Amino acid sequence: MDNVEATRINLRSHRGTWPDIAQAAGLSYWWLLKFAQGQIKEPGAAKIEKLRTELALRKPKGRAA
C-alpha cells in the first residue's frame, strides 16, 4: 500500500470531522471529500503531506483513549 492509499484509509477513520481536518490542514473540504472517495487519482505530494501531518495529530473516531 502506498502513502496515498494509507492516507485515504486514515482519513476515512476520521469521518465526521472532515470539515475541521480540511480547515486545519489548509485544504478545501471538497478536495478532501473527493480524495476520500477515491475520485482524485494524483492528489499531489504537498497536499498529501499536509493531510498526513494533520491526521497524525488526531485520534480516529470510535477508538478508546
Side-chain angles (χ1 to χ4, degrees), residues 41-54:
K41 301 301 178 200
E42 296 184 30
K47 287 183 178 181
I48 291 299
E49 189 54 36
K50 286 180 183 182
L51 183 54
R52 290 182 68 213
T53 299
E54 183 57 32

Side-chain angles (χ1 to χ4, degrees), residues 14-25 27-29 32 58:
H14 291 82
R15 193 174 308 239
T17 61
W18 292 352
D20 295 334
I21 291 170
Q23 183 177 16
L27 300 168
S28 157
Y29 172 75
L32 198 78
R58 299 169 180 260

